[in-house]
Amino acid sequence: MTAAATGAALRRFVFDDELTIVTAAEHRDRLLAFLRDGSGVRVDLSGITDLDTAGLQVLLLARDEGVRRHLPVEFVEPSPAVADVLALTRLEL
Amino acid sequence: MSLDDDMREALDMFVTEARDLVQGLEEGLLELEDQPAGGETVNAVFRAAHTLKGSSGLFGLRHLVEFTHVVETVLGSVREGQLDVTPGLVSALLPCTDHISAMIEGIAEGRLEPDASQLADGTRLLAGLSPYLDGGAAPAASVATPGAEAAPAEAAWRLGLRFGPDCLRNGMDPLSFLRYLSTIGTVTGVVTDASGLPDAEEMDPESCYLSFDVDLVTAAPKAEIEAVFDFVREDSDIRITPSESQLDAYVRAIRAMPENDRIGDVLVTSGAVTEMEMAEALRVQQERAVREGTQPVPIGEILIEQGIVQRDIVDAALTRQRRTTETRSQDTRTIRIDAARLDKLIDLVGELVIAQSSTGVTPGVSAETSNEAQGEVMRLVDEVRHSALSLRMVPIGTTLRRFERVVRDVSMELGKEVSLTITGGDAEMDKALVERISDPLLHLVRNSLDHGIEPAAERRKHGKTQQGTLRLNAYHDAGNIVIEVADDGCGLDRDRILGKAIERELVAPGTALTDAEVYNLIFEPGFSTAEKVSNLSGRGVGMDVVKRNVTALRGSIEVETTRGIGTTIRIRLPLTLAIIDGFLVGVGPSSFIVPLDRVTECVELPPGPLGRDCMNLRGEVLPFIRLRQLFGIPGEPARRQNVVIVEQSGQRTGLVVDSLLGELQTVIKPLGVLFSRVRCISGSTILGNGEIALILDVGTLIAGHSDREHTRQAVAVG
């Protein structure tokens, strides 16, 4: 988790359900739309009830896209499902 | 442990004797299985075990003594009548003879202590015997218990997981594989590689872009790890290699393994490579060899190239293999000789000395007497040579009888009923040849059992006896020894062989082939029609190797088969590799030797149009080969040329030469490594005048010639 100095200036993106192959396309488009607006985003992971490889790829894509566009992308409050996957893959967001 | 020379010599003798004893033991056991009441056989078997134990004791070979002691105890109770011979008992004892034999071979290589895997084998085998030890009088307890048979050691693996793009769509989540891995071992490290993710716009959320490198420590064998990925193997790239830290352990394990001819077996046994990976690598190897028409790439190179094992491991395995070959070639340093034959040779040499001293010493003897004495010397020299050669001759029966065990084991494994008949076991051949032909024979026997002889039910259906028969037959024929492996099985399927050959692009579709040509296709590299690959054969490695081995011994191999009746494979080998009776011919300034047993007659070349390479021999068309043309010898042909007619496997061909120089006993000198790829020449010899003559290899000469003719005809037709 990157500690963001920018604080409350970031817009908030909330997941409220599973992030899996079923919803991956939809969430990707929403996330990308945020980034296209030219502002950073704080992604609240606390609502993710289930995360699979497809979902993980969406999160990684958002992270990379942020780097590419020089926009801050923060991931906060990982739910247990997210923490589990990150531990499994030894990844940090 | 270092050995001084005396000890070494004594040990060599022990090994030679012990090998015979073990074989006696094995043959006796097999005989007992057939006739459990054979009192004399029981005694013989018991004595063999007893003697073996006794002489190993002399050399302080404790492991051998301890193991044999248990076997002896069991056989002792059989002799006392306390234990009945049952198939179960024989099945428990036979692997013990294998184990004893393995220990003896170990000793032959100078390893006086057993290695870990041997110890483990020994303990396992003795455990199998324990039900037969009366009252559990625990002699087994005296056997050193090795530490090796504890829980299998954990090993570290590096798994490279590149999942196919479609795996998510197919419902396979790589994450669940990662989770599952932690249930079969400890995942000590994961590197997730997300560099495959494309730009945001191009990304398909349902494709998999991630790949993983996982370090896994587990006691599970490699095959079990491999099985985890069974469902995704098709479109994914899954590599399981021993982790770098584990390399030393594998290398050590391989060094401690019994030696083996096949590097593949070494690698699979060590656990570094699974059967499946080996089968795949073999397939790649053959495909490539067939496609490029070259010698097969070493299997180790393919395994490295495919990222299955590291080079260090392959190198270690190679040294096991190389050492095997070296030990084999040393094997023939000691040889047992029938004392009567040696006496005869000494006797002959004595006579020769006397005959020699009587030639030309006393002045004043008539020329006639002197000539007579010379003649006598010549005769004796010839006999001495024959007698010396016969020292190397052994009856082939010993080798053939070894197959009883093979037939028993293999037919049990396959659930078939097969009886083995051996005839002509007293036909003699060179010991070196016997040793080198036994592996190819083994392969043929297994092949017949596996593919030739049908299962009992199928045999009944075809109105055959339920029990199949495998026949091994040996006989002498025109300076050759012929060994036949014959079965009364289903015979070769001409159409299927042809179909397979077309599929493998070995022959062009629509080619007209004779039956013999079709059947010979089974000796092509990479050819196997077995629909089911079994443990024994059907891997497509084998028949071509058999053929190569036989050819290397200056022999030939042929198939005779009738659908539904059976198949006979006939190997024809020279009796010895050292000397042949040759027929010397001259072409221009060069001399060649044709093996005399191939020559049927010589005629003068009739005048005819040049370029037509056949002549009329008593109303038959006889194709001939002009040696001058074949070997590119410069100069004009002699005014009167001769044709030497040679016969090989029933096919007659003429060899056109300038002059016939007569018969000659020829000591074959092998060609150097430099010439190892030269075809049509099997060796060289030095003539009386110091010149060199090349020995023609009639088999390849004729085969090569008919190939060339075929191409020419094919060109003419096409």
Side-chain angles (χ1 to χ4, degrees):
Chain A
M1 301 294 126
T2 32
T6 38
L10 292 178
R11 287 197 290 165
R12 207 172 166 78
F13 183 98
V14 183
F15 287 102
D16 50 5
D17 198 0
E18 57 178 321
L19 176 53
T20 62
I21 188 160
V22 183
T23 56
E26 172 200 338
H27 286 305
R28 177 194 63 160
D29 294 345
R30 278 177 55 210
L31 262 172
L32 288 181
F34 259 73
L35 292 167
R36 274 198 209 97
D37 292 348
S39 62
V41 64
R42 173 173 294 159
V43 185
D44 185 338
L45 303 173
S46 62
I48 297 182
T49 52
D50 192 7
L51 181 67
D52 69 359
T53 305
L56 179 65
Q57 288 184 154
V58 170
L59 297 180
L60 293 169
L61 186 78
R63 182 190 67 181
D64 293 354
E65 191 65 10
V67 173
R68 205 164 65 89
R69 292 175 182 255
H70 306 290
L71 293 173
V73 176
E74 276 179 27
F75 297 93
V76 295
E77 307 214 13
S79 67
V82 178
D84 175 49
V85 169
L86 293 182
L88 191 65
T89 54
R90 313 291 204 268
L91 282 175
E92 285 184 13
L93 286 173
Chain B
M1 194 187 280
S2 77
L3 291 168
D4 52 40
D5 282 351
D6 283 351
M7 175 72 175
R8 180 79 246 178
E9 217 167 274
L11 206 55
D12 272 354
M13 279 170 62
F14 164 74
V15 167
T16 315
E17 190 195 329
R19 281 182 186 143
D20 285 355
L21 286 170
V22 176
Q23 204 188 340
L25 192 59
E26 187 181 301
E27 282 171 14
L29 286 172
L30 289 169
E31 214 175 304
L32 275 183
E33 195 178 28
D34 283 347
Q35 299 155 332
E40 189 38 48
T41 321
V42 175
N43 278 334
V45 170
F46 176 80
R47 268 200 310 275
H50 183 76
T51 315
L52 196 57
K53 186 181 90 173
S55 37
S56 356
L58 288 178
F59 287 91
L61 302 165
R62 259 192 44 220
H63 61 299
L64 199 52
V65 175
E66 282 166 358
F67 188 86
T68 320
H69 174 72
V70 183
V71 175
E72 187 199 342
T73 312
V74 173
L75 291 172
S77 7
V78 174
R79 192 171 65 150
E80 303 295 321
Q82 294 160 356
L83 194 63
D84 287 335
V85 180
T86 57
L89 176 65
V90 174
S91 295
L93 282 171
L94 280 176
C96 293
T97 63
D98 292 343
H99 183 64
I100 295 175
S101 168
M103 286 194 278
I104 292 167
E105 294 313 315
I107 292 160
E109 290 153 19
R111 281 187 284 123
L112 299 188
E113 308 281 338
D115 55 38
S117 71
Q118 273 188 356
L119 275 177
D121 278 353
T123 316
R124 189 173 47 75
L125 289 170
L126 291 184
L129 283 185
S130 58
Y132 301 103
L133 289 165
D134 55 339
S142 68
V143 175
T145 29
E149 39 99 52
E154 295 207 322
W157 300 94
R158 163 57 65 99
L159 281 59
L161 313 177
R162 315 272 170 273
F163 291 95
D166 291 332
C167 72
L168 300 178
R169 266 185 288 269
N170 296 337
M172 304 288 169
D173 188 351
L175 293 179
S176 47
F177 288 99
L178 291 186
R179 281 196 191 97
Y180 184 75
L181 283 178
S182 52
T183 65
I184 62 168
T186 317
V187 175
T188 55
V190 177
V191 176
T192 304
D193 180 7
S195 60
L197 273 176
D199 285 348
E201 282 73 21
E202 290 158 27
M203 182 219 182
D204 177 352
E206 293 185 0
S207 285
C208 180
Y209 298 102
L210 299 183
S211 59
F212 305 88
D213 284 314
V214 180
D215 290 315
L216 179 71
V217 177
T218 177
K222 189 174 185 182
E224 198 176 321
I225 310 174
E226 197 177 60
V228 171
F229 301 99
D230 272 350
F231 292 113
V232 287
R233 178 158 302 107
E234 291 262 303
D235 42 355
S236 306
D237 181 9
I238 306 292
R239 293 184 182 191
I240 305 168
T241 47
S243 91
E244 298 287 332
S245 64
Q246 203 74 27
L247 278 188
D248 284 350
Y250 274 102
V251 170
R252 271 202 307 277
I254 287 174
R255 292 219 177 106
M257 273 168 61
E259 307 200 329
N260 198 310
D261 279 353
R262 303 228 292 256
I263 178 173
D265 288 349
V266 173
L267 289 170
V268 171
T269 321
S270 78
V273 176
T274 60
E275 290 275 358
M276 198 192 303
E277 288 167 339
M278 187 53 75
E280 171 67 14
L282 282 170
R283 197 186 57 75
V284 170
Q285 181 190 36
Q286 279 157 24
E287 246 180 38
R288 200 174 298 174
V290 170
R291 195 176 57 232
E292 293 166 11
T294 49
Q295 288 287 314
V297 183
I299 194 75
E301 293 299 319
I302 289 179
L303 289 168
I304 295 171
E305 188 187 301
Q306 307 245 320
I308 293 168
V309 281
Q310 289 89 339
R311 183 167 291 279
D312 295 11
I313 291 181
V314 170
D315 285 349
L318 274 175
T319 59
R320 294 315 289 160
Q321 187 187 26
R322 195 158 310 130
R323 278 210 266 153
T324 314
T325 341
E326 278 167 18
T327 353
R328 279 280 165 85
S329 53
Q330 286 169 358
D331 260 358
T332 45
R333 275 192 320 191
T334 50
I335 142 173
R336 292 188 130 197
I337 291 169
D338 185 3
R341 289 188 179 186
L342 192 59
D343 286 346
K344 179 164 182 249
L345 178 62
I346 293 168
D347 195 35
L348 277 172
V349 172
E351 274 187 53
L352 182 61
V353 171
I354 296 166
Q356 166 75 30
S357 63
S358 71
T359 57
V361 272
T362 32
V365 286
S366 66
E368 197 182 314
T369 325
S370 162
N371 275 348
E372 203 174 286
Q374 285 285 2
E376 180 68 7
V377 169
M378 292 300 286
R379 186 187 66 81
L380 284 169
V381 166
D382 205 46
E383 266 195 56
V384 165
R385 189 182 65 85
H386 270 291
S387 162
L389 274 179
S390 78
L391 292 184
R392 289 193 62 87
M393 295 298 206
V394 292
I396 193 174
T398 333
T399 305
L400 296 185
R401 273 198 303 281
R402 270 183 216 161
F403 290 112
E404 277 177 15
R405 172 72 189 284
V406 176
V407 171
R408 174 189 183 276
D409 287 359
V410 171
S411 47
M412 268 170 89
E413 187 178 331
L414 295 169
K416 295 180 181 176
E417 288 174 43
V418 183
S419 75
L420 174 69
T421 322
I422 296 174
T423 44
D426 42 5
E428 291 192 329
M429 67 192 288
D430 193 305
K431 183 163 173 11
L433 268 173
V434 170
E435 277 165 13
R436 283 156 74 182
I437 200 63
S438 85
D439 277 0
L441 276 182
L442 175 66
H443 199 92
L444 293 177
V445 166
R446 286 185 164 184
N447 230 27
S448 281
L449 292 173
D450 201 11
H451 304 312
I453 292 175
E454 316 91 326
E458 204 181 316
R459 291 182 66 88
R460 270 199 306 275
K461 208 169 70 194
H462 289 107
K464 293 184 179 180
T465 52
Q466 184 163 322
Q467 191 181 46
T469 308
L470 185 75
R471 211 163 46 78
L472 290 174
N473 183 25
Y475 57 92
H476 283 194
D477 174 48
N480 285 316
I481 184 157
V482 179
I483 308 170
E484 291 177 339
V485 180
D487 65 58
D488 63 347
C490 56
L492 294 175
D493 185 341
R494 187 185 196 276
D495 296 338
R496 218 171 78 199
I497 294 173
L498 195 57
K500 197 81 168 186
I502 292 171
E503 184 192 316
R504 294 271 161 96
E505 295 176 10
L506 295 170
V507 292
T511 321
L513 292 175
T514 65
D515 285 357
E517 281 168 327
V518 173
Y519 298 138
N520 273 325
L521 287 170
I522 62 172
F523 298 113
E524 290 295 317
F527 191 90
S528 170
T529 57
E531 266 137 26
K532 173 180 80 173
V533 171
S534 74
N535 196 9
L536 301 165
S537 44
R539 286 181 195 282
V541 285
M543 289 306 257
D544 59 319
V545 180
V546 169
K547 173 151 191 185
R548 211 177 324 135
N549 287 343
V550 169
T551 321
L553 298 174
R554 292 197 287 116
S556 62
I557 187 165
E558 61 193 40
V559 198
E560 201 180 285
T561 181
T562 316
R563 192 91 186 105
I565 305 289
T567 307
T568 301
I569 295 191
R570 198 168 289 124
I571 297 179
R572 193 176 283 271
L573 289 172
L575 287 178
T576 172
L577 298 173
I579 296 189
I580 55 166
D581 285 326
F583 187 68
L584 187 65
V585 296
V587 183
S590 313
S591 308
F592 294 96
I593 287 171
V594 187
L596 191 62
D597 49 35
R598 298 271 182 250
V599 177
T600 55
E601 61 180 312
C602 301
V603 294
E604 197 176 319
L605 181 68
L610 209 69
R612 277 242 337 256
D613 284 350
C614 54
M615 59 182 268
N616 180 343
L617 178 74
R618 292 185 294 273
E620 265 181 66
V621 178
L622 179 81
F624 57 73
I625 303 168
R626 296 178 194 269
L627 290 187
R628 182 179 289 275
Q629 240 171 11
L630 184 70
F631 292 112
I633 298 166
E636 276 300 301
R639 202 166 49 82
R640 289 174 52 189
Q641 287 183 287
N642 292 291
V643 182
V644 180
I645 298 168
V646 291
E647 187 173 332
Q648 167 88 21
S649 324
Q651 193 183 357
R652 286 204 291 180
T653 307
L655 302 175
V656 178
V657 300
D658 287 353
S659 51
L660 305 174
L661 302 171
E663 290 179 27
L664 183 75
Q665 291 220 319
T666 309
V667 180
I668 301 177
K669 295 188 176 295
L671 292 172
V673 198
L674 208 58
F675 301 105
S676 59
R677 299 182 73 111
V678 174
R679 291 168 59 83
C680 305
I681 302 285
S682 60
S684 67
T685 193
I686 299 174
L687 300 177
N689 61 6
E691 300 240 338
I692 288 176
L694 296 174
I695 302 168
L696 296 178
D697 182 350
V698 173
T700 53
L701 201 65
I702 294 182
H705 182 68
S706 33
D707 281 355
R708 283 191 297 277
E709 285 296 305
H710 277 185
T711 6
R712 199 181 306 168
Q713 279 164 15
V715 169
V717 170

